[in-house]
Amino acid sequence: MRLGVLDVGSNTIHLQVMDAHPGARPTPTTNFKVELRLTEYLDITGAISAGGVQLLNDAIKEAVAHARENSTDEILAFATSAVRDASNGAQIIADINKTHEIDLQVLTGDDEASMTFLAVRRWLGWSAGKLLVLDIGGGSLEIASGVDENPEATLSLPLGAARLTREFLSNDPYSAKGIKSAEKHVDDLLKSSLPESLRSHDANHFVATSKTFRTLARICAQWYGDNPKFLEKSALASALPRLSTMTNKERAELPGVSSSRAQQIVAGGIVALAVMERLDVDEVEICPWALREGIVLRRLDWLAD
């Protein structure tokens, strides 16, 4: 069957069309993406503005049209932290579902962590042992750990790259004060929020997903000759001060860094380094599968039952 996975995220509205059936590896066929950065449309009440809602509806309209043009059997639509945390998120979801005749569901942070964990487990297999999975999105950080396909422990924190950039990093280049404030905020929240089940994770395979981690690994590979399939904490610790003093334009000229990602990669690096230090992780393997693949795999499991 052909599934369209519509991801309404903090940075992008991304439709991935995949051919899939139970027991087989999902095969991407086509995709449609609009960079929207919904967190930039939040007003002082925490609501997504009328302009942001209109742009969101325009993007979803195009994505749904693309899915139908490519003969999808079903659209699996989900929204993550930007809509989940917006004070008018419930009304936005109801209006979108009525207007576009889809079933857009809001995932909880634990849902995100669990679905991403499933995708990583299926990609790496059982031989990978006990996994610790890290994912940095635009609005939130997800952590999951376990030995099975469902994690034993999950955590979602409002430490996304777009969110932190908006709250702490407004100058270009960023000010030392802004960087220090962001680092302290991240450290304080991790220190106060990490449960004992994750602090003492005893995992033997450390994995990271998301564009933020992939971009950081690629930058470190370019600068230090590292393997881009892995990100070392020591390399990230060396790269972050250098990234922090660059302008957005200079960061956008780095390999694999788009203009929109250039604004967020420093905040993403701050979160990545802090969580690796807090969890005593020296290196993470970059997994190409993440939340969208996890959504597809879970749907296929339900169909097979």
Side-chain angles (χ1 to χ4, degrees), residues 15-29:
L15 172 79
Q16 179 72 66
V17 178
M18 301 184 189
D19 287 333
H21 63 269
R25 170 178 170 167
T27 303
T29 60

Side-chain angles (χ1 to χ4, degrees), residues 153-234:
T154 61
L155 180 67
S156 179
L157 294 174
L159 293 177
R163 186 192 298 268
L164 286 178
T165 301
R166 185 184 75 251
E167 293 178 356
F168 296 99
L169 306 177
S170 57
N171 298 327
D172 185 18
Y174 300 135
S175 68
K177 181 179 179 180
I179 295 292
K180 289 180 181 179
S181 295
E183 290 174 340
K184 185 179 187 305
H185 174 74
V186 173
D187 286 339
D188 288 349
L189 191 54
L190 285 172
K191 183 177 180 180
S192 64
S193 302
L194 273 174
E196 179 61 26
S197 57
L198 286 173
R199 285 199 301 270
S200 58
H201 53 76
D202 71 345
N204 49 29
H205 203 129
F206 309 116
V207 187
T209 70
S210 76
K211 186 66 177 293
T212 293
F213 273 110
R214 289 198 301 272
T215 302
L216 290 168
R218 188 170 180 181
I219 290 170
C220 288
Q222 174 75 15
W223 285 354
Y224 309 118
D226 294 346
N227 184 340
K229 294 182 179 180
F230 297 86
L231 177 63
E232 295 184 12
K233 181 174 64 178
S234 59

Side-chain angles (χ1 to χ4, degrees), residues 13-83:
I13 312 305
H14 189 176
L15 172 79
Q16 179 72 66
V17 178
M18 301 184 189
D19 287 333
H21 63 269
R25 170 178 170 167
T27 303
T29 60
T30 183
N31 72 89
F32 173 86
K33 183 188 294 187
V34 174
E35 289 195 6
L36 185 52
R37 289 184 283 178
L38 278 172
T39 52
E40 295 185 0
Y41 294 91
L42 291 173
D43 63 24
I44 59 173
T45 70
I48 298 174
S49 67
V53 171
Q54 184 59 57
L55 290 171
L56 174 58
N57 272 277
D58 292 344
I60 290 178
K61 181 180 179 180
E62 291 186 71
V64 170
H66 185 86
R68 289 169 178 161
E69 287 167 4
N70 285 276
S71 303
T72 56
D73 297 296
E74 184 178 2
I75 297 176
L76 307 175
F78 63 92
T80 54
S81 64
V83 175

Side-chain angles (χ1 to χ4, degrees), residues 115-131:
M115 296 291 186
T116 301
F117 186 90
L118 171 63
V120 172
R121 170 59 75 194
R122 293 279 178 93
W123 178 266
L124 292 174
W126 296 109
S127 62
K130 187 170 185 178
L131 299 175

